[in-house]
Amino acid sequence: MLAPGGRFLFNTWGPLGTHAFEVALQAGLERAFPVDPPRFFQTVPHGYSDPAVVAADLAAAGFAVEDEQELTLQGRAASTADLATGYLTGTPARAAVEERGDGPAVRATVIEEMTARLGPGPVTAPMTAYVFRAAA
């Protein structure tokens, strides 16, 4: 709850296409599961990525949007294997992969695809978010 005149700082990830790590990861998942790939990254972290929709939702909730900024920074990782391991074991994508089976083969396919797209490592890639400041 914010007091009148309080500020709400909020951010959301940009579209999936603005995150090269996750674009490469999603391509690997689609290669591993051509019929029914997991869609977690498209629908959850990147599913609320339209700044106009976010601003409209904030306004509908009674906030006045004072500032909106697009922020792109470079993500860094020692290797695509580290990235794949983190994404495939530390996010809800893990459950989707386990449901479909053969986790080690999926991990190998994802690493291969990510390495083809990003290089052997260390790797860097852009990551975009939208940052909002709104008044109560």
Side-chain angles (χ1 to χ4, degrees), residues 21 74-87 111 114-115 118-125:
F21 288 158
Q74 291 296 311
R76 292 172 171 59
S79 69
T80 55
D82 286 353
L83 285 168
T85 299
Y87 281 124
I111 291 169
M114 292 182 80
T115 301
L118 300 169
V123 291
T124 62

Side-chain angles (χ1 to χ4, degrees), residues 42-90:
Q42 294 167 316
T43 59
V44 180
H46 301 285
Y48 192 55
S49 61
D50 183 338
V53 171
V54 174
D57 288 348
L58 288 168
F63 291 97
V65 177
E66 296 178 330
D67 190 34
E68 169 196 326
Q69 294 182 17
E70 180 178 303
L71 177 65
T72 300
L73 300 173
Q74 291 296 311
R76 292 172 171 59
S79 69
T80 55
D82 286 353
L83 285 168
T85 299
Y87 281 124
L88 296 176
T89 63

Side-chain angles (χ1 to χ4, degrees), residues 25 29 41 81-98 103-104 106-107 110:
L25 171 78
L29 290 171
F41 295 99
D82 286 353
L83 285 168
T85 299
Y87 281 124
L88 296 176
T89 63
T91 71
R94 177 183 186 156
V97 169
E98 288 176 353
V106 170
R107 181 176 175 273
V110 168

